[in-house]
Amino acid sequence: MRNLENKLAEMITNEHKGMLEFSCTEAAVLDEAVKEAPVFYKLLGEARFRLVRNNKFELVFVHLTEDWMRHAKINLKEINFTDGIDIKVSWNEAENFLSVKGKHDAEYTTVKAVQMDN
């Protein structure tokens, strides 16, 4: 798991705009018995990026700056995650998105992040 986390974090190179698209078959992320499973964490300039599967079995994307925090959540129980999931996260200065689909699904479930000012 640590290798995936590091590889994904290394792919985040711009704190203001970017996108990651990857597949996840990590047992810890897809196992409801595991309380929490980090996917990646990156500190870059003034920004922090985090993707984690929480104890409610939601995938949560967080983008934090000095001025605001944006977060998007998708309940993995609503996704066919049996053979793994495909994940897309994107961010820019105006908005962030989290998209997830099961390996055999045609369409992504996409959620726009909610912003809270600090």
Side-chain angles (χ1 to χ4, degrees):
M1 183 73 189
R2 191 64 64 194
N3 285 341
L4 177 64
E5 281 183 66
N6 293 337
K7 190 192 300 185
L8 292 170
E10 287 173 10
M11 294 169 65
I12 299 172
T13 58
N14 186 322
E15 66 184 287
H16 303 292
K17 183 178 181 182
M19 186 180 92
L20 288 181
E21 188 170 353
F22 59 97
S23 294
C24 180
T25 57
E26 298 292 328
V29 174
L30 303 175
D31 183 352
E32 291 184 66
V34 175
K35 199 170 197 172
E36 185 176 276
V39 180
F40 66 76
Y41 176 81
K42 175 77 173 206
L43 178 58
L44 179 65
E46 299 292 323
R48 292 184 183 143
F49 298 88
R50 182 174 188 226
L51 184 65
V52 64
R53 200 267 299 135
N54 69 14
N55 62 348
K56 297 178 183 173
F57 211 62
E58 297 167 321
L59 201 59
V60 182
F61 177 46
V62 177
H63 181 187
L64 178 68
T65 71
E66 284 186 358
D67 299 324
W68 45 257
M69 178 181 85
R70 295 182 188 148
H71 73 280
K73 292 188 243 184
I74 292 179
N75 186 341
L76 290 181
K77 292 178 184 175
E78 297 173 5
I79 307 289
N80 178 5
F81 61 88
T82 309
D83 294 325
I85 53 178
D86 292 333
I87 302 169
K88 287 195 278 190
V89 294
S90 62
W91 63 95
N92 61 46
E93 294 193 19
E95 56 196 6
N96 293 36
F97 292 94
L98 169 63
S99 302
V100 181
K101 73 178 185 77
K103 283 282 187 202
H104 306 292
D105 295 337
E107 302 284 321
Y108 279 89
T109 297
T110 299
V111 176
K112 181 179 176 181
V114 175
Q115 180 170 316
M116 292 175 272
D117 293 331
N118 292 341

